[in-house]
Amino acid sequence: MMNKEEFIQLLQDKKYKTAQNILSEMNDMDTAAFLEELDAKECALAFRLISKEKAADVFSCMNSKMQTFLVDMFSETELKELLDDLYMDDTVDMLEDLPANLVTRILKNLDSTKRSTINKLLKYPEDSAGSIMTTEYVTLKKTMTVKQAMNHIKEIGIHKETIYTCYVTENKRLMGIVTAKSLMTSDDNENITNLMNTNIISVHTHTDQEQVAHLFRKYDLIAMPVLDSDGCLVGIVTFDDAMDVMVDETNEDISRMAAMEPNEKTYFETTVWQQAKHRILWLLVLMFSATITGSIITRYENAFSAVPLLVSFIPMLMDTGGNCGSQSSTLIIRGLALGEIHFKEIFKVMFKEFRISLIVGSILAAANGLRIFIQYQNFNIAIVVALSLMVVVIVAKLIGCILPLFANKFGVDPAIMASPLITTIVDTCSILVYFNIAVHVFNIVV
């Protein structure tokens, strides 16, 4: 791929034909990424060099900031040509990120049919199947033969987002699906009814988009039909949109697992103030919740005075408990996301985590207890720390598996129950367990 400086030099030397040839040989996504690296003026000039057939695909791959700039810069003719070639779902995605004045301008450049369709798509709830579907798909009739179906696809397929899966409908109701492979490998006179698959995996317009992505992953689909409340086919979700959902959901979960508010913008697109705002709320909550741990420690001042060495093991216990809880919660959250674990299996999960904690806790307790005894020659302290570790690991792993399951049960994102929150809860439990055991072993009056 040509580097940016060489390409800019071509534009400055007005060698537009050479620059056009370079862009035509690049993949659409690579072209979009390359143009985004250019300055605004250079990007606008380079985009105009892209062929009409390729321009819409490149535009749909660009980030919202660059799309906004280009739409604002386009003439009415250029804008109309772009909108004519953009797929419906890409148009809707673009409109959701554009300023209101540009949305109004775009809608004015659409015909009444497209405008009506886009308005319907924009009204579907965010994160629903309806909000990510496209209305550009191939429909066939049951009465068609393979030859008639192929002629129909050749006639209208160029304007559809996918032709690999075709949908057999009757009065707008979905009767079955036919793959391009079936059509191309069957006799011309074969009836569509004999080829269509009636065992259809479909979703409704209000189905959560995360559930849609899960079905794509589970059934290895290329496209999935979307039905309205009357059971009529109103659109399809394609694999690329499902992949975008998976990426967005993963990014959202990563943010929440790190105790931050999800953010759709990239790291450098987000201002310092916005970054701080997304992080500060959870940090405040976790900071003030940590005062509970401080209050508990203060309550056991007599234990410190009697055996000062006890204080030195607090960080190790708290860190071990937090790490054990985080391990369990991460695995449970992953299982929930993939549909491998359900709330009804909570006792099965708890029993498994309990058995794991017995093994892990025993090894950690034995190793640390032996180390402490050798280092300090104090059997009582070794017993206190070993027993505390054993109990802390058990408690931490149970908390780590229970909280995400309950969060999911009550409609809360399980990722919220990940590392920071669970660590804070486990820290409190660790201190309570540790000092209660120490008080009883050393016969300290609190």
Side-chain angles (χ1 to χ4, degrees):
M1 184 186 294
M2 174 173 283
N3 64 49
K4 185 174 75 171
E5 288 72 23
E6 290 175 349
F7 186 81
I8 292 173
Q9 190 61 52
L10 287 177
L11 296 180
Q12 290 175 347
D13 294 341
K14 297 184 179 181
K15 295 181 179 179
Y16 299 137
K17 188 63 179 176
T18 305
Q20 187 179 46
N21 291 336
I22 292 170
L23 293 175
S24 67
E25 294 172 0
M26 293 169 63
N27 177 275
D28 294 342
M29 183 61 74
D30 292 336
T31 304
F34 184 72
L35 295 186
E36 287 170 358
E37 294 180 6
L38 304 177
D39 293 337
K41 184 179 178 181
E42 294 159 351
C43 177
L45 176 57
F47 188 85
R48 286 191 167 102
L49 297 175
I50 300 172
S51 64
K52 182 178 180 294
E53 295 76 18
K54 185 177 179 177
D57 292 330
V58 172
F59 182 84
S60 65
C61 295
M62 289 180 159
N63 60 43
S64 58
K65 180 180 178 181
M66 191 55 68
Q67 286 181 341
T68 301
F69 166 75
L70 289 175
V71 169
D72 191 36
M73 177 272 302
F74 285 152
S75 66
E76 297 301 314
T77 303
E78 289 174 323
L79 185 58
K80 190 173 187 315
E81 287 178 353
L82 176 72
L83 293 172
D84 286 341
D85 292 330
L86 266 181
Y87 290 121
M88 195 64 69
D89 56 338
D90 292 330
T91 304
V92 172
D93 288 342
M94 174 186 66
L95 291 175
E96 288 176 336
D97 296 323
L98 289 180
N101 63 313
L102 294 182
V103 172
T104 303
R105 184 181 169 212
I106 286 174
L107 292 176
K108 285 181 179 178
N109 280 279
L110 294 170
D111 60 57
S112 58
T113 304
K114 277 193 174 182
R115 192 183 309 123
S116 175
T117 302
I118 287 174
N119 284 329
K120 285 180 182 178
L121 294 175
L122 289 171
K123 287 178 182 177
Y124 286 115
E126 189 179 1
D127 299 335
S128 68
S131 68
I132 59 172
M133 72 180 185
T134 181
T135 56
E136 293 154 323
Y137 51 90
V138 177
T139 58
L140 304 174
K141 296 178 181 178
K142 289 197 302 181
T143 55
M144 284 181 172
T145 61
V146 169
K147 184 176 181 179
Q148 289 172 329
M150 291 296 287
N151 289 336
H152 179 65
I153 293 170
K154 289 176 182 177
E155 183 181 344
I156 67 167
I158 190 66
H159 304 295
K160 307 302 178 183
E161 187 151 351
T162 179
I163 60 171
Y164 302 114
T165 305
C166 303
Y167 302 89
V168 183
T169 59
E170 187 174 44
N171 296 324
K172 295 187 178 180
R173 290 188 174 275
L174 182 60
M175 309 305 294
I177 60 174
V178 179
T179 63
K181 180 180 178 181
S182 297
L183 292 172
M184 288 186 286
T185 56
S186 299
D187 189 85
D188 284 350
N189 296 320
E190 186 73 60
N191 193 276
I192 291 297
T193 309
N194 299 328
L195 300 177
M196 72 180 188
N197 180 8
T198 55
N199 184 19
I200 307 166
I201 307 298
S202 63
V203 292
H204 290 276
T205 51
H206 285 64
T207 301
D208 187 272
Q209 63 177 15
E210 195 169 357
Q211 176 64 18
V212 176
H214 170 70
L215 292 174
F216 265 92
R217 183 171 55 237
K218 181 178 180 180
Y219 294 104
D220 292 329
L221 301 173
I222 295 175
M224 184 185 299
V226 182
L227 311 180
D228 63 13
S229 55
D230 297 322
C232 296
L233 180 65
V234 292
I236 63 169
V237 177
T238 51
F239 182 77
D240 58 323
D241 291 317
M243 285 291 292
D244 289 340
V245 170
M246 292 179 198
V247 172
D248 290 342
E249 294 294 338
T250 301
N251 290 337
E252 188 176 296
D253 286 347
I254 289 172
S255 296
R256 285 181 171 152
M257 289 175 76
M260 294 188 295
E261 288 296 312
N263 183 22
E264 294 182 359
K265 294 181 179 179
T266 65
Y267 179 82
F268 288 109
E269 285 178 343
T270 310
T271 65
V272 172
W273 169 247
Q274 288 173 324
Q275 288 279 13
K277 187 174 69 172
H278 290 146
R279 302 180 193 187
I280 194 63
L281 179 61
W282 271 108
L283 289 175
L284 284 170
V285 171
L286 295 172
M287 181 184 70
F288 285 118
S289 63
T291 57
I292 300 172
T293 305
S295 302
I296 295 171
I297 293 175
T298 304
R299 183 184 168 196
Y300 290 96
E301 286 184 73
N302 290 344
F304 297 157
S305 303
V307 189
L309 191 58
L310 288 172
V311 181
S312 65
F313 301 110
I314 292 176
M316 180 271 296
L317 281 169
M318 292 171 66
D319 288 346
T320 302
N323 291 335
C324 288
S326 297
Q327 284 181 340
S328 295
S329 66
T330 300
L331 290 174
I332 300 305
I333 291 168
R334 176 185 177 277
L336 288 168
L338 296 176
E340 298 172 351
I341 299 173
H342 304 90
F343 183 79
K344 64 182 179 181
E345 298 168 311
I346 184 170
F347 293 111
K348 185 178 178 181
V349 171
M350 289 175 63
F351 183 52
K352 183 166 187 176
E353 287 298 315
F354 176 71
R355 285 178 291 163
I356 293 170
S357 66
L358 287 178
I359 298 171
V360 173
S362 298
I363 295 172
L364 292 175
N368 217 18
L370 183 62
R371 177 189 70 83
I372 292 169
F373 180 72
I374 293 171
Q375 184 174 355
Y376 298 103
Q377 298 295 308
N378 190 318
F379 181 74
N380 284 344
I381 289 183
I383 287 295
V384 168
V385 175
L387 284 175
S388 298
L389 259 177
M390 188 75 193
V391 177
V392 165
V393 169
I394 293 172
V395 171
K397 288 199 170 292
L398 289 176
I399 290 174
C401 72
I402 290 172
L403 287 183
L405 285 167
F406 271 101
N408 189 64
K409 173 68 175 177
F410 293 108
V412 179
D413 192 333
I416 294 175
M417 300 297 171
S419 298
L421 185 58
I422 285 179
T423 300
T424 303
I425 296 171
V426 170
D427 285 351
T428 302
C429 296
S430 300
I431 295 299
L432 281 171
V433 167
Y434 181 42
F435 283 111
N436 271 290
I437 291 175
V439 164
H440 285 88
V441 171
F442 289 101
N443 294 316
I444 301 170
V445 178
V446 179

